Amino acid sequence: MCFYLDGTVNMYMRPLEGVTVTVDLEEMKIIGFWDRLTVPMPKAEGTDYRESEQKPPFLPPLKKITVVQPDGPSFKIDGHKVRWANWDFHLSFDMRAGPIISLASIYDLEKQKFRPVLYKGFVSELFVPYMDLDEEWYYRTYFDAGEYGFGLCAVSLEPMRDCPENAVFMDAYVVGQNGKPVKMSQIFCIFERHAGDIMWRHTETAIPRTIVREVRPEVSLVVRMVSTVGNYDYIIDWEFKQSGSIIATVGLTGLLEVRGSRYTHKDQIDEEVYGTLLAQNTIGVNHDHFLIYHLDLDVDGDSNSFVKSNLKTTQVPDHGSPRKSYWRVVSETAKTESDAKIKLGSKATELLVVNPNKMTKMGNHVGYRLVPKSGAGSLLSDDDYSQTRAAFTKYNVWVTPYNKSEKWAGGLYVDQSRGDDTLATWSQRNREIENKDIVVWYTLGFHHAPYQEDFPLMPTLSSGFELRPANFFESNPVLKVKPPQDVMRLNCSIFKVV
Amino acid sequence: MCFYLDGTVNMYMRPLEGVTVTVDLEEMKIIGFWDRLTVPMPKAEGTDYRESEQKPPFLPPLKKITVVQPDGPSFKIDGHKVRWANWDFHLSFDMRAGPIISLASIYDLEKQKFRPVLYKGFVSELFVPYMDLDEEWYYRTYFDAGEYGFGLCAVSLEPMRDCPENAVFMDAYVVGQNGKPVKMSQIFCIFERHAGDIMWRHTETAIPRTIVREVRPEVSLVVRMVSTVGNYDYIIDWEFKQSGSIIATVGLTGLLEVRGSRYTHKDQIDEEVYGTLLAQNTIGVNHDHFLIYHLDLDVDGDSNSFVKSNLKTTQVPDHGSPRKSYWRVVSETAKTESDAKIKLGSKATELLVVNPNKMTKMGNHVGYRLVPKSGAGSLLSDDDYSQTRAAFTKYNVWVTPYNKSEKWAGGLYVDQSRGDDTLATWSQRNREIENKDIVVWYTLGFHHAPYQEDFPLMPTLSSGFELRPANFFESNPVLKVKPPQDVMRLNCSIFKVV
C-alpha cells in the first residue's frame, strides 16, 4: 500500500489509490508494479492530529484534574505477579497475544483462602475484514495477532495521558531478529481506577425514626496495553473488581483505513463506494473488528462445565393464577462442543462456567458468568476465503476441552492459511466438554461503518465483556469492604504544573 | 407486605411470607387479614449491611485515593443551567421522572455556535415484574415512576461515597401533601469524571526517523441521582463527553425482594420456587427491570427522521472478485410509527436520528446514533395483565411524533390502569414520523435471576445506552482538545484524613 507523506503525518488519510506493488521478500526487491487507475489524492489539510499543527479556535481548556494516592498504590508487583485487594494474578507479555493474565485467584474471606478463577486469558486472534471488493482492497482482511503480532505492535504508554497519574509501568522483552532480547519500554500500565462509581449502596427509609445509609465507592484495578497495528490503536484493559468481576474492555481509536476517491460530495456518488464519504476524496471503508478471547477458566478447580441458563416464558393454565405468564430459568449443561456454539442475539440466556464438583452451602454449583457486551458476528458468507480462515467469528461463543496446541483461534501459522488449523475445525470433532478442563472462546465484535467524526482520527469506541461470579461466593463478597478513609485537600498551592 | 425488623435493618431479607393484608386507604384501617401459610422466617444473621455490624475478617483496606481539581471544577452552574466544556444543558427535577435533561446543545467549533441535540430526556417509566405466581406475589409488577414516583424516591447523596470528592450537589423541591414546598437535600451531584480512559490516541511508527505520539485523556461530566424505590437503589447517570456523546447509565444495587421458604438446601426443592436459594429459607425471586427513556432528540433542529441502517450481506457474483461476500449499509427511513418498532437482537442495524434538512459539507445528513447496551425485552405474554400495562416493553425502540400529552409510557394514571393510555396504544395510530419533531423511546432491560452474591445486598450491576454523533460534525470534534496540563503532587503530608 502506498501513501503520501507530504504536508501531514497522517499518511493514512492520503492513500495512493489504485497502485499494486509486488515485492520479492527474499530479494527485497520490487518485482511488479501496476498502476490500475488514477484517483485524486485527498488533501493534507485537516488531517494532521498533532497538537503543534492545530490552529485556533480550540475547545475551552478544562481545569486541572488528577488522581492522588498520598500513600502510594494499594497493589504490589513482584516480578510479574500482581497482588491487589483480594486478587492475585500473573501478568506476562507475549509477542503475539500481548498481555496474558494467568493464575488469577481471588481471596475468599469466608473460606480464608485464595480460590482460582482464570487459569489463563488472552486475545487469541483479531480479524479485521474490510468490505471493499476492489483490486487493491479485497484482500484487506487482517489477522492482527497471527499476521502482525498484537504484542509486537504494542507501543510505549505515555504517563499522565495513556494512563492516569497513579499508574505504574512495566516493560516487556521480545526476541529480536538476531535472537537477542529487545526491550520494549512502558508496555503495560497498572493503576487503580477511581472513576466515581458506586460499588454498592442502600438507603433505608422504611424504618420508623431511623435512616440507614451505607455506601461503598468503587475502586478497581486496571492492567492496560495499547497495540497500534498500523493505523488502528487498540486499548486493551483487564479490570479486576473486589466483587470478583473481571472486566475486559477494548477501546478502538487511531486512524481509519480510507480509500482515495474522485468524489467531493455525496450527490456525485453513482456507484458502490463501500463506505462513507468522510472528507473530499476520502471514503472511510466499512469494516469489522473481531477480537477472540481465549478464556481458560478454572472456576474453583480445573474441572468445569459450561451451562446455558435459558430464561423461558411459561404460560400459566387458565385460572391457575391471575397471571398468564412468567419466566423461569431452564439450565442446560453442554455435553459436547456443538452444544456450546452460540450466536448471541434476541434469546435471553445467561452463560455460565460452573464447577460441578463444588457447591455452595445452599447447594448451588459454584460458577462464573460470561456477560457479553456485544453480540456482533461476522456477516461474511462461509465460503469467503477470509471467512474460512476466520470461521471462529461464526459464533460468538465456543467451548473446547483444553488442548495445549489449541491456542490460536486462527491457527498457529496464519499467513496464507486455509482454515485447517482453526477453532472451527478443531471443534468439528465435537469433543466432550462436561466436567473437564475447558476453554471458553468469546468473540467481541464491532461493525464499523465510519462517520465523519472518525476523520481524521477516531474518538475511542469501546466494548467488552465481564466475568462475574455467580454463586461462586456464599454471599456478597464486598459486604466487608470498609468504607474508604476520606481524604480532603487542604491547600492547592503545592500542586505544580509540570 | 410484612417484614420482621428484629436483629437487622435489612428487613427485606426477613419477609413474613404468606400474609395478605387489606387496607382501607380512606379510613387508614386494616380491613382484611389473611394468613395463608406459615413459612420459616429467614435468620437475621448475615443480613445486616451496616459497617458497624460487620465482624472481622475484613477485606484488606485500600490505600487512600482521591481526585483533585486544584483550581476547582470546569463547569458552571447558573440556577439549573449547567455549562461545561462544549456542552450547555438544563437540569431539572421531577417528582415522577427524577432528573430531566433538557435543551442540551453542543458548541461546534467550526460553525462557531451551539447546536441543539437533546430537547428533553428522562426516564418515563420503570417496570419491574416479579416471576412468582403465588397469592402474595403475582401482583408484584411495579411501575416505579407512575406508582411510586421515581423522583419522590430520590435519596440524599453522600459526599465522598455516592459521588467523588470533586462533586457539587444540588437540592430538589417537591410539593408536600399540604401544598407547601418541601426541600430534598443533595439530590443531584455533578462532577467531572477522570477515570483513566483515553479520549483518543495514535502512535505512528511507519514514518522513517520519526515517532509521532498524540494522546488525549478522557474527562467527562456526570450528573447523578439515586432513587431508592423501597428495596432497590437505582443509580441514574447522565454523562456528557466532549466528543458529543451523551451516555445514560443505570446502576442497580440495594436489596433484592426475597421470599421466605422452608428450604435450606437446593436438594430439598421439589417444586417451582420462582428463583434461587440464596441463603437458608431465602429465595431471591426472578424479576426484570425495564427503564424506558423518553428521548426527544432535536438533532440540529426539531424536524428529524428516524433511520435504520441495516448492514446487509451481499453475495458477489462468481468471478466478480476473489471475494464472495461483503456487507453494505442499506438505510431505511421510517415513514410511520410501525416502521420504527424495533426488537434488538441478532440483526446488525445502526439506529439513527437524522435531520433531513441539514447536511454536512460532504452531503451526509447530520445525525446522532442510539447505541444500546442492552437488548433485553419483556418475556411475558401479551395478554398478561401487567404486560398490557407495560406493553412498551414489547419493543426496545419506538418512535412517535411529539405530542405533549404523551410523556409517560405507562400512562398518566398508572395505578389500576388497563393500558389504554400507554405508548403501545398511542402508536397504534401509526402516525407519520418522517421529518417531524420526533421522540425516541428506548427500553433498557435487565433480566435478573439472582445469584448468592446478591445476598444480602447486591453489588452494582450497570447498563445503559449512548447517543453518539453520526455525521453531526464535519470531522472529529475533539481533535482540538488541548492536552491537559499535567499536575504532579509534591508533598503528601498536606492530605488530611477527615
Side-chain angles (χ1 to χ4, degrees):
Chain A
M1 297 187 290
C2 302
F3 301 99
Y4 195 55
L5 249 180
D6 196 40
T8 182
V9 295
N10 194 345
M11 57 180 204
Y12 287 102
M13 294 305 117
R14 305 200 79 190
L16 273 159
E17 206 57 46
V19 174
T20 301
V21 178
T22 312
V23 179
D24 183 323
L25 286 174
E26 300 202 346
E27 297 282 330
M28 282 308 276
K29 274 188 182 160
I30 291 174
I31 55 169
F33 180 88
W34 186 25
D35 191 349
R36 190 174 64 88
L37 79 172
T38 305
V39 173
M41 166 72 62
K43 279 186 257 183
E45 194 196 330
T47 64
D48 209 310
Y49 48 86
R50 287 174 298 180
E51 185 202 354
S52 58
E53 299 302 307
Q54 305 308 314
K55 294 183 185 71
F58 290 94
L59 279 176
L62 298 181
K63 289 183 182 160
K64 294 187 282 288
I65 186 165
T66 191
V67 61
V68 171
Q69 292 186 283
D71 304 326
S74 301
F75 53 83
K76 286 211 177 80
I77 301 176
D78 175 14
H80 285 259
K81 291 257 293 180
V82 182
R83 181 83 179 258
W84 172 80
N86 44 356
W87 281 102
D88 187 287
F89 62 90
H90 186 273
L91 166 64
S92 61
F93 176 81
D94 182 272
M95 288 169 78
R96 186 158 174 170
I100 296 183
I101 302 291
S102 59
L103 298 170
S105 299
I106 188 163
Y107 189 76
D108 185 324
L109 268 189
E110 194 173 319
K111 296 198 163 61
Q112 299 272 317
K113 63 171 188 182
F114 278 92
R115 296 168 64 197
V117 176
L118 182 64
Y119 177 74
K120 199 184 260 190
F122 59 92
V123 175
S124 172
E125 191 51 271
L126 297 91
F127 176 49
V128 188
Y130 283 75
M131 297 299 144
D132 187 322
L133 301 183
D134 271 3
E135 185 69 27
E136 299 81 21
W137 278 87
Y138 73 86
Y139 58 82
R140 300 195 192 184
T141 54
Y142 304 106
F143 290 76
D144 286 344
E147 292 175 344
Y148 290 84
F150 197 54
L152 265 184
C153 294
V155 294
S156 288
L157 297 167
E158 184 170 349
M160 324 287 269
R161 306 275 166 90
D162 274 316
C163 310
E165 302 72 2
N166 57 332
V168 165
F169 294 83
M170 198 186 275
D171 301 328
Y173 293 86
V174 292
V175 179
Q177 290 184 334
N178 60 4
K180 292 201 172 146
V182 176
K183 178 174 164 180
M184 297 171 73
S185 295
Q186 306 205 147
I187 291 302
F188 294 130
C189 74
I190 299 160
F191 63 91
E192 285 166 276
R193 181 181 168 97
H194 172 64
D197 295 328
I198 300 172
M199 176 192 274
W200 59 262
R201 81 172 317 287
H202 184 62
T203 302
E204 186 54 68
T205 55
I207 302 174
R209 293 173 302 282
T210 309
I211 294 275
V212 176
R213 180 173 65 188
E214 290 283 337
V215 188
R216 298 293 178 278
E218 184 78 79
V219 177
S220 59
L221 185 78
V222 176
V223 173
R224 175 170 295 167
M225 189 194 86
V226 172
S227 181
T228 303
V229 189
N231 51 315
Y232 257 101
D233 297 58
Y234 294 90
I235 304 159
I236 301 291
D237 283 358
W238 286 90
E239 183 178 1
F240 295 83
K241 288 189 168 189
Q242 296 176 80
S243 61
S245 285
I246 301 176
I247 296 164
T249 304
V250 175
L252 303 179
T253 176
L255 311 170
L256 289 177
E257 208 159 284
V258 304
R259 51 182 284 142
S261 162
R262 62 193 160 93
Y263 302 115
T264 55
H265 193 280
K266 198 182 174 189
D267 286 351
Q268 300 158 355
I269 301 175
D270 55 3
E271 55 173 346
E272 175 78 273
V273 294
Y274 307 115
T276 308
L277 188 66
L278 299 178
Q280 288 189 19
N281 310 115
T282 310
I283 304 271
V285 177
N286 296 330
H287 61 281
D288 302 307
H289 300 262
F290 297 107
L291 292 96
I292 183 160
Y293 282 81
H294 172 112
L295 301 168
D296 184 352
L297 288 149
D298 273 7
V299 177
D300 220 8
D302 61 8
S303 289
N304 288 178
S305 294
F306 182 73
V307 173
K308 292 179 280 186
S309 284
N310 301 304
L311 312 189
K312 284 215 170 141
T313 299
T314 308
Q315 303 297 328
V316 181
D318 273 357
H319 314 300
S321 158
R323 283 280 281 274
K324 307 264 189 196
S325 63
Y326 69 110
W327 58 256
R328 62 202 174 93
V329 180
V330 181
S331 291
E332 283 171 63
T333 301
K335 306 279 183 212
T336 64
E337 290 175 283
S338 64
D339 296 335
K341 294 177 185 173
I342 291 165
K343 284 186 191 179
L344 296 169
S346 47
K347 249 181 112 178
T349 300
E350 305 200 339
L351 307 175
L352 297 118
V353 173
V354 304
N355 187 326
N357 315 298
K358 298 272 174 75
M359 282 192 291
T360 62
K361 288 179 194 160
M362 291 304 106
N364 297 304
H365 288 305
V366 306
Y368 255 76
R369 267 175 79 190
L370 169 68
V371 186
K373 290 182 188 158
S374 159
S378 178
L379 300 173
L380 296 177
S381 60
D382 290 348
D383 60 350
D384 211 321
Y385 173 55
S386 64
Q387 184 63 27
T388 60
R389 304 168 67 205
F392 57 83
T393 57
K394 193 176 166 72
Y395 296 97
N396 300 100
V397 177
W398 310 67
V399 180
T400 57
Y402 174 78
N403 178 324
K404 73 175 176 180
S405 67
E406 298 178 1
K407 200 167 165 185
W408 309 109
L412 180 59
Y413 301 108
V414 173
D415 288 290
Q416 301 184 25
S417 83
R418 301 230 153 238
D420 317 304
D421 176 30
T422 64
L423 173 56
T425 305
W426 310 329
S427 276
Q428 283 171 2
R429 283 173 282 171
N430 200 19
R431 293 163 290 184
E432 290 186 0
I433 54 171
E434 192 177 0
N435 202 5
K436 294 212 180 307
D437 185 7
I438 55 174
V439 177
V440 176
W441 306 78
Y442 169 64
T443 297
L444 172 64
F446 298 84
H447 297 302
H448 192 175
Y451 293 98
Q452 283 185 237
E453 285 79 4
D454 298 335
F455 177 89
L457 183 148
M458 59 181 287
T460 305
L461 183 70
S462 295
S463 192
F465 65 88
E466 178 174 355
L467 298 171
R468 190 175 171 100
N471 299 329
F472 185 83
F473 294 103
E474 294 290 341
S475 61
N476 181 339
V478 283
L479 197 71
K480 290 190 177 185
V481 166
K482 289 242 185 191
Q485 294 176 285
D486 293 341
V487 178
M488 199 161 272
R489 193 177 36 82
L490 290 183
N491 186 334
C492 311
S493 63
I494 51 73
F495 285 88
K496 188 175 82 169
V497 176
V498 290
Chain B
M1 296 188 293
C2 301
F3 301 97
Y4 195 55
L5 248 180
D6 196 39
T8 183
V9 294
N10 194 346
M11 57 180 203
Y12 287 101
M13 293 305 117
R14 305 200 80 190
L16 274 158
E17 207 56 48
V19 174
T20 301
V21 179
T22 312
V23 179
D24 184 322
L25 286 173
E26 299 202 346
E27 297 283 329
M28 283 306 278
K29 275 189 184 158
I30 292 173
I31 56 170
F33 180 88
W34 186 26
D35 191 349
R36 190 174 64 88
L37 78 173
T38 304
V39 173
M41 166 73 60
K43 279 185 257 184
E45 194 197 331
T47 64
D48 209 309
Y49 48 86
R50 287 174 298 179
E51 184 200 355
S52 58
E53 299 303 307
Q54 304 308 314
K55 293 184 185 72
F58 291 94
L59 280 177
L62 298 181
K63 290 183 180 160
K64 295 186 282 287
I65 186 165
T66 189
V67 61
V68 170
Q69 293 186 284
D71 303 326
S74 301
F75 53 83
K76 287 212 177 80
I77 301 176
D78 176 14
H80 285 259
K81 291 258 290 180
V82 182
R83 180 85 178 258
W84 173 80
N86 45 357
W87 280 103
D88 188 288
F89 62 91
H90 185 273
L91 166 65
S92 62
F93 176 81
D94 183 271
M95 288 169 78
R96 185 156 174 171
I100 296 183
I101 302 292
S102 59
L103 298 170
S105 301
I106 189 162
Y107 188 76
D108 185 325
L109 268 189
E110 194 174 321
K111 296 199 163 60
Q112 297 274 315
K113 63 172 188 182
F114 277 92
R115 296 168 64 196
V117 176
L118 182 64
Y119 178 75
K120 200 184 259 192
F122 59 91
V123 176
S124 171
E125 190 53 270
L126 297 91
F127 176 49
V128 188
Y130 283 76
M131 297 299 144
D132 187 321
L133 301 182
D134 269 4
E135 185 71 27
E136 299 81 21
W137 277 87
Y138 74 86
Y139 58 82
R140 299 195 193 186
T141 54
Y142 304 105
F143 290 76
D144 285 345
E147 291 175 346
Y148 291 83
F150 197 55
L152 265 184
C153 294
V155 295
S156 289
L157 297 168
E158 184 169 351
M160 324 287 271
R161 305 276 167 91
D162 274 315
C163 310
E165 302 72 2
N166 58 332
V168 166
F169 294 83
M170 198 187 274
D171 300 328
Y173 292 86
V174 291
V175 180
Q177 290 185 334
N178 59 4
K180 292 200 172 148
V182 176
K183 178 174 164 179
M184 297 169 74
S185 295
Q186 307 205 145
I187 290 304
F188 294 129
C189 74
I190 300 161
F191 62 92
E192 285 166 276
R193 180 180 169 97
H194 173 62
D197 295 329
I198 299 173
M199 177 192 272
W200 59 261
R201 82 172 316 286
H202 185 60
T203 301
E204 186 55 66
T205 55
I207 303 174
R209 294 173 303 280
T210 310
I211 294 273
V212 176
R213 181 173 64 190
E214 289 283 337
V215 188
R216 298 293 178 278
E218 184 78 80
V219 177
S220 59
L221 185 78
V222 175
V223 173
R224 175 170 295 167
M225 189 192 87
V226 172
S227 182
T228 304
V229 189
N231 51 314
Y232 258 102
D233 297 58
Y234 295 91
I235 305 159
I236 301 290
D237 283 359
W238 287 90
E239 182 178 3
F240 295 83
K241 287 189 168 191
Q242 296 177 79
S243 61
S245 284
I246 301 176
I247 297 164
T249 305
V250 175
L252 304 179
T253 176
L255 311 170
L256 289 177
E257 208 158 285
V258 303
R259 51 182 283 143
S261 161
R262 61 192 159 93
Y263 302 115
T264 56
H265 193 279
K266 198 181 172 190
D267 286 351
Q268 301 158 354
I269 301 175
D270 56 2
E271 57 173 344
E272 175 80 271
V273 293
Y274 308 115
T276 308
L277 188 65
L278 299 178
Q280 288 189 19
N281 310 116
T282 309
I283 303 270
V285 177
N286 297 331
H287 60 282
D288 302 306
H289 301 263
F290 298 107
L291 293 96
I292 183 161
Y293 282 81
H294 172 112
L295 300 168
D296 185 352
L297 287 149
D298 274 5
V299 177
D300 219 10
D302 61 9
S303 289
N304 287 177
S305 294
F306 182 73
V307 173
K308 292 181 279 186
S309 284
N310 301 305
L311 311 189
K312 285 214 170 143
T313 300
T314 308
Q315 303 298 327
V316 181
D318 272 357
H319 314 300
S321 157
R323 284 278 283 272
K324 306 265 190 193
S325 63
Y326 70 109
W327 58 256
R328 61 202 176 93
V329 180
V330 181
S331 292
E332 286 172 61
T333 300
K335 307 278 182 213
T336 65
E337 290 175 283
S338 65
D339 298 333
K341 294 177 185 172
I342 292 165
K343 285 185 190 179
L344 296 169
S346 48
K347 250 182 112 179
T349 300
E350 304 200 339
L351 307 174
L352 297 117
V353 174
V354 304
N355 187 324
N357 316 297
K358 297 271 175 75
M359 283 191 291
T360 62
K361 287 179 195 158
M362 291 303 106
N364 296 305
H365 288 306
V366 307
Y368 255 75
R369 267 175 79 189
L370 169 68
V371 186
K373 290 182 189 158
S374 159
S378 178
L379 300 174
L380 296 177
S381 60
D382 290 348
D383 60 349
D384 212 323
Y385 172 56
S386 65
Q387 183 63 28
T388 60
R389 303 167 68 203
F392 56 82
T393 57
K394 192 176 167 70
Y395 296 97
N396 299 100
V397 177
W398 311 67
V399 180
T400 57
Y402 174 78
N403 178 325
K404 73 175 178 182
S405 67
E406 297 177 3
K407 199 167 165 184
W408 309 110
L412 180 59
Y413 300 108
V414 173
D415 287 291
Q416 300 183 27
S417 83
R418 301 229 153 238
D420 315 304
D421 176 31
T422 65
L423 173 55
T425 306
W426 312 328
S427 276
Q428 282 172 3
R429 283 173 283 173
N430 200 18
R431 293 162 290 184
E432 290 186 359
I433 54 172
E434 192 178 1
N435 202 5
K436 295 213 179 307
D437 185 6
I438 56 176
V439 177
V440 175
W441 307 78
Y442 169 64
T443 297
L444 173 64
F446 298 82
H447 297 302
H448 193 174
Y451 293 98
Q452 282 185 238
E453 285 78 3
D454 298 336
F455 177 87
L457 183 147
M458 59 181 287
T460 305
L461 182 70
S462 295
S463 193
F465 66 88
E466 178 174 355
L467 299 170
R468 189 174 172 103
N471 299 328
F472 185 82
F473 294 104
E474 294 290 341
S475 61
N476 181 338
V478 283
L479 196 70
K480 290 190 177 187
V481 166
K482 291 241 185 191
Q485 294 176 285
D486 293 340
V487 178
M488 199 161 271
R489 193 176 35 83
L490 291 182
N491 188 333
C492 310
S493 64
I494 51 75
F495 285 86
K496 187 175 82 169
V497 176
V498 293

